[in-house]
Amino acid sequence: MIGPPGAGKGTQAVGLAEALGVPRISTGDILRAAAAAGTAVGRKAKEFMDSGRLVPDDVVVGIVEERLREPDCAGGFLLDGFPRTTPQAEALDAALGRAGRAVRLVLAIEVPDEEVLVRLGGRRICASCGRIWSVSLSPGRCECGGAPVRRDDDRDETVRGRLAVYRSQTAPLLEYYGARGLLRRVAGVGTPLEVRARVGEAVGAA
Ligand code: AMP
């Protein structure tokens, strides 16, 4: 699943992975967990993440290759936020090719920049259960009672940088996968349920 920051990749990927019965692999989640745990990889990654830049390809590719070797990926998997650069896409093709596998489908969730800025300005994550919500819908604590936390990289100027990074480094993948007939574009505007219906259609029609 590919899309600019704030497109709703995480939200949609959770629902889709559940519907497909496959694990969701979010490189952002893996990197944030490594940063929170203070591992060497995590500390290095945090510098890039907090400033809105991409973590170097070799680090992210290593993480994904290792994760794809886990037994729960044998029946398929959903990648959320990976690949984000052409070298990552090439590394993924090579790793899957070595295992006699291939990318089946790429979903691009599309949302205009202005909407991304509004969404991420109001995005909160529950410190306790990890749920994601918007202050515009519910300004207080999470349903579970957990405190709302703002991601370090959701500040306006960082989001603008992440959008620029998306355009220059990730958007070329639309062409990469489009040329292989693997790309489905999904409009990411509207409620999560509306987007979910479009995602379902795109996958069903694949
Ligand atoms: P996300 O949670 O997908 O928005 O990712 C948050 C941040 O983690 C990004 O802004 C990057 O700094 C880093 N990150 C996540 N996935 C990748 C990736 N595939 N390649 C490089 N950096 C990544």
Side-chain angles (χ1 to χ4, degrees):
M1 198 170 274
I2 295 182
K9 291 189 298 295
T11 304
Q12 295 302 329
V14 166
L16 181 59
E18 204 178 283
L20 296 173
V22 297
R24 160 186 172 248
I25 301 170
S26 156
T27 42
D29 281 359
I30 294 172
L31 292 166
R32 273 186 293 279
T39 64
V41 166
R43 282 200 305 272
K44 177 105 191 102
K46 190 167 168 30
E47 286 170 34
F48 290 93
M49 294 167 82
D50 285 354
S51 61
R53 288 172 298 156
L54 294 182
V55 173
D57 287 335
D58 56 333
V59 174
V60 184
V61 166
I63 287 174
V64 171
E65 284 182 345
E66 199 180 310
R67 180 65 186 86
L68 292 182
R69 282 196 290 270
E70 299 283 325
D72 65 335
C73 292
F77 48 85
L78 175 62
L79 289 166
D80 166 6
F82 180 94
R84 260 172 152 105
T85 65
T86 303
Q88 289 181 18
E90 289 167 351
L92 177 65
D93 281 345
L96 292 177
R98 285 193 293 274
R101 313 176 81 182
V103 173
R104 286 266 306 277
L105 182 70
V106 177
L107 288 178
I109 314 273
E110 302 188 307
V111 172
D113 287 7
E114 313 82 69
E115 168 111 7
V116 165
L117 286 161
V118 172
R119 283 188 186 183
L120 296 191
R123 173 158 78 175
R124 297 294 180 272
I125 298 172
C126 174
S128 163
C129 73
R131 192 175 76 91
I132 301 167
W133 78 94
S134 164
V135 279
S136 65
L137 299 177
S138 121
R141 298 179 82 86
C142 176
E143 292 161 352
C144 80
V149 175
R150 195 163 179 193
R151 261 172 58 170
D152 288 339
D153 57 352
D154 276 352
R155 279 166 297 136
D156 250 25
E157 64 282 10
T158 312
V159 171
R160 285 182 207 282
R162 288 163 65 201
L163 280 167
V165 166
Y166 175 79
R167 264 192 301 274
S168 65
Q169 301 201 54
T170 307
L173 293 181
L174 303 182
E175 175 64 26
Y176 181 93
Y177 288 118
R180 289 164 173 72
L182 295 171
L183 185 72
R184 302 283 182 283
R185 294 174 186 267
V186 174
V189 291
T191 66
L193 271 180
E194 285 164 349
V195 180
R196 187 166 179 167
R198 288 181 212 128
V199 165
E201 255 170 54
V203 173

